[in-house]
Amino acid sequence: QLQASGGGLVQAGGSLRLSCAASGRTFRTYAMGWFRQAPGKEREFVAAVNWSAATYYADSVKGRFTISRDNAKNMVFLQMNSLKPEDTAVYYCAARDSIAASRYEHEYDYWGQGTQVTVSS
């Protein structure tokens, strides 16, 4: 089970840190990802981290967002800086039962419930 938290309302240019707590199993060998879904749009890839902490980002967030993991705490984080109104979405964390990260949501096995991020202009 995955539990995402940390969303909220922030002004453009601000920062938020999302957290994803995993329970029920050890995810240290899993790839972890963040996806988001804006109103009226399909869910899209944001960032992923594999078991060895190699990271991958969507072009739209590269240089602004940082994904990280703490295997000892079974947690994954998404630090979001320089937020823009177009970053407004529900953000989901996901886990893939593989050491390799993926940009494709259908390759993830477990999903959190989502946390709302709203960026005002």
Side-chain angles (χ1 to χ4, degrees), residues 40-110:
K41 295 186 177 181
E42 294 186 351
R43 191 155 57 184
E44 65 176 5
F45 169 77
V46 176
V49 57
N50 72 9
W51 73 282
S52 65
T55 57
Y56 308 86
Y57 298 95
D59 288 343
S60 60
V61 307
K62 201 172 294 183
R64 300 188 297 122
F65 291 11
T66 302
I67 188 171
S68 61
R69 65 191 301 162
D70 184 336
N71 288 338
K73 297 182 179 179
N74 235 14
M75 295 191 71
V76 178
F77 306 98
L78 185 68
Q79 178 67 43
M80 305 186 296
N81 299 328
S82 302
L83 282 161
K84 305 175 181 180
E86 51 264 43
D87 294 319
T88 295
V90 177
Y91 283 70
Y92 299 88
C93 63
R96 182 183 189 215
D97 188 4
S98 169
I99 60 174
S102 172
R103 298 172 178 266
Y104 304 105
E105 62 175 291
H106 70 271
E107 294 185 347
Y108 285 80
D109 303 289
Y110 304 95

